[in-house]
Amino acid sequence: DITEARSRTAGQSSTTNGYISGGLPPSSETNIIDKFPFAVDTNATDVGDLTQARREISGQSSTVSGYTSGGGNPGNQNTIDKFPFSSDSNATDVGDISVARREMAGQSSSTNGYTSGGTGVDNSIDKFPFASDTNSTDIGNLTEARRGPTGQQV
């Protein structure tokens, strides 16, 4: 089980653990970051907080950190949060996506995080580097605007 039943969360992965961040429990948005180990079947633990409670956020993963971007609370947000995999701690705000939105997909390469689509209905593809804490840049467009697409990770 995760620490609190919720929907519209983001997911991140290290080599040893899965993470679930943010979301919408029955009452209002949450800022919880949950962690669960891949090696054993056990419940998740609350290991930190996002900088703000948000739902419908996208998740990205580098080799050393988890990221959440965008989301709603209740309006659209542009925040990029980062939290370390090496220690259980709160996230820090490290930049902004180009357009405040929610319900977008999160993708990860080995060097960059991406967001695509989203409420509006948006067709933007944003890219931010894992090597430095900075804002994302709009690098292109999806073939059509999409809300709630699915993300992938390398």
Side-chain angles (χ1 to χ4, degrees):
D1 294 332
I2 58 176
T3 60
E4 179 179 43
R6 57 195 191 269
S7 63
R8 303 174 185 183
T9 61
Q12 299 86 8
S13 299
S14 72
T15 56
T16 57
N17 296 292
Y19 295 82
I20 299 169
S21 54
L24 185 63
S27 57
S28 66
E29 292 85 357
T30 186
N31 64 352
I32 296 171
I33 301 170
D34 278 351
K35 175 174 90 172
F36 58 92
F38 292 141
V40 295
D41 297 336
T42 188
N43 293 334
T45 56
D46 181 338
V47 296
D49 294 328
L50 299 175
T51 59
Q52 61 192 120
R54 306 193 300 279
R55 68 180 190 278
E56 299 161 339
I57 53 182
S58 66
Q60 298 83 13
S61 302
S62 73
T63 56
V64 296
S65 299
Y67 295 81
T68 61
S69 50
N73 180 15
N76 294 341
Q77 305 295 316
N78 66 352
T79 306
I80 301 172
D81 277 356
K82 173 182 170 180
F83 60 91
F85 292 145
S86 61
S87 64
D88 297 342
S89 61
N90 293 332
T92 56
D93 182 337
V94 296
D96 296 327
I97 56 176
S98 66
V99 176
R101 60 193 190 275
R102 64 181 190 268
E103 295 185 278
M104 63 267 169
Q107 298 90 4
S108 301
S109 73
S110 57
T111 57
N112 297 291
Y114 297 83
T115 61
S116 56
T119 299
V121 170
D122 195 80
N123 68 347
S124 301
I125 301 171
D126 277 13
K127 172 182 170 181
F128 59 91
F130 292 142
S132 62
D133 297 340
T134 187
N135 294 335
S136 71
T137 54
D138 184 337
I139 60 165
N141 295 315
L142 300 172
T143 56
E144 63 184 63
R146 291 185 178 89
R147 181 175 116 189
T150 301
Q152 302 78 26
Q153 304 209 42
V154 173

